Amino acid sequence: MTGHHILTLSCPDRPGLTSAVTQRLFQHRGNVVEAQQFGDAETGRFFMRIVADFADEAAEGEFRQDFSGLAGTYDMEWSLRQADERRRVLILVSKFDHCLSDLLYRHRIGELPMDIVGIVSNHPAEGHELAGARNIPFHHFPITKDTKPQQEAQIRDVIEETGAELVVLARYMQILSDEMSAYLSGRCINIHHSFLPGFKGAKPYHQAHARGVKMIGATAHYVTADLDEGPIIVQDAEAITHADTPDDLVRKGRDIERRVLARAVRCHLEDRVLLNAQKTVVFGD
Ligand SMILES: Nc1nc2c(c(=O)[nH]1)N[C@@H](CN(C=O)c1ccc(C(=O)N[C@@H](CCC(=O)O)C(=O)O)cc1)CN2
C-alpha cells in the first residue's frame, strides 16, 4: 500500500458526485480512509476531501490519469497530493513576533508539516533573534510608502527563488498592493487581531477598547486586495472585562492570535480549506 493521499475537489453540485468519485477510487484499488463532503445550496457548489491509500504507485498513477477525465466531465477543480508532502512556507513579520515564535516552535516539534524557507521582515533582525537560532534565512526588507513596489519585488524574488507555496503574514503590518495580493491569491494567510468583520485595519485592540467590547478575538483569513475582507479560515474569541486596559487586550489577544494562526496554517497544509466564493469550507481537523 502507498501512504495516505489527500484528494480535494470542488465543482458545480449535482446528484451522484460522491458515488462517481468513490467508484473511481475503488476501480483503481484505492481504499478510502476518511471522506468529508459539503454541498452549498447558496453557491451551488460541491466540496469533497478524501484521504485514501492506493494498492501501489501504479494504481495511484492510473487513478490520477482516469480521474482527470472525470474532473473534466464535472468541471472539477481538484488536487491529489501525498499527505506527507511538506509545503514550503515563507513567513512575514513586522515588529511583534509572538505569532512568528509560536509557528517556529510548532514547526520545531513537528506539529506543522512544513519547510520554512525564510523569514521576511520590514524590521531589522535584532528584534527577531529566533530566526538565526534555527538557521532560517532572515531577509530584512525595509519599506516606506514610496518604496512599496521595490520592497514587494524583493519578497517576490524570495518566493520565486525558494519555491514558497504558502506565505504567512504573522503580524506583518504592511498592506499588500493589489498586484501582490493577486500574485498570492489563495496562498497567503494573515492573522488579524480582531474577530472580523469587527475592527478592521490598524490597532483593532484600541478600537475595541474604545467601543467597550466584552469579547476580543482573532481571525485568520486569506489575503485579498480588500483589507481584512479575505475568506475567513479560523476564528476564536474570549471574554474581557471593563477593567481591561488596551495593553491588557493586547496581552490577552496574543494567545488567541497564536492559536488561531497555527490552526489556520495547519488546516491549509493538510488541504482542509477550500475556497467557496468569498468564504471557505474547512473540513474539520
Ligand atoms: N492587501 C492586504 N494586505 C494586508 C492585509 C489584507 O487583508 N489585505 N492584512 C494586513 C494585516 N493588517 C491587519 O491584520 C493590517 C496591517 C497594516 C495596516 C496598516 O494600516 N498599515 C500601514 C502601515 C502601518 C505601519 O507602518 O506600522 C500601511 O500599510 O499603510 C492595517 C491592517 C496585512 N496586509
Side-chain angles (χ1 to χ4, degrees), residues 3 19 21 57 63 77 95 100 110 112 118 137 149 179 219 236-237 277 285:
S19 171
V21 173
E57 288 185 14
F63 169 79
E77 295 173 25
K95 180 178 177 183
L100 167 67
L112 291 175
E179 296 74 20
T219 304
D236 200 355
D285 52 339

Side-chain angles (χ1 to χ4, degrees), residues 188-255:
C188 182
I189 295 173
N190 175 61
I191 183 68
H192 181 73
H193 37 311
S194 83
F195 197 90
L196 290 173
F199 309 126
K200 295 172 190 163
K203 296 190 176 298
Y205 290 132
H206 291 74
Q207 294 180 55
H209 183 266
R211 182 67 184 78
V213 300
K214 304 304 179 187
M215 299 285 287
I216 56 168
T219 304
H221 63 92
Y222 287 113
V223 167
T224 65
D226 300 320
L227 185 64
D228 301 329
E229 297 263 2
I232 291 172
I233 306 166
V234 175
Q235 293 186 296
D236 200 355
E238 65 182 53
I240 55 125
T241 77
H242 57 278
D244 284 317
T245 66
D247 285 350
D248 291 323
L249 269 57
V250 169
R251 172 176 55 81
K252 293 182 176 182
R254 275 196 284 266
D255 286 337

Side-chain angles (χ1 to χ4, degrees), residues 145-157:
K145 292 211 181 304
D146 302 323
T147 64
K148 184 169 287 195
Q150 293 85 340
Q151 191 255 13
E152 289 188 345
Q154 289 177 295
I155 297 172
R156 273 199 303 278
D157 287 347

Side-chain angles (χ1 to χ4, degrees), residues 69-141:
L70 182 77
T73 302
Y74 291 133
D75 191 20
M76 290 178 180
E77 295 173 25
W78 66 289
S79 162
L80 178 64
R81 212 170 52 81
Q82 287 183 318
D84 61 2
E85 178 190 299
R86 294 165 68 89
R87 293 285 183 60
R88 301 169 67 78
V89 178
L90 181 68
I91 303 175
L92 275 58
V93 66
S94 289
K95 180 178 177 183
F96 301 112
D97 64 352
H98 53 286
C99 290
L100 167 67
S101 58
D102 182 71
L103 290 174
L104 292 174
Y105 169 74
R106 293 176 193 262
H107 169 253
R108 181 165 59 83
I109 65 172
E111 182 183 310
L112 291 175
M114 61 185 180
D115 292 327
I116 300 175
V117 297
I119 293 168
V120 169
S121 180
N122 57 313
H123 287 247
E126 291 67 45
H128 310 299
E129 70 284 353
L130 295 154
R134 293 179 178 76
N135 301 318
I136 297 173
F138 187 101
H139 308 276
H140 176 211
F141 294 158

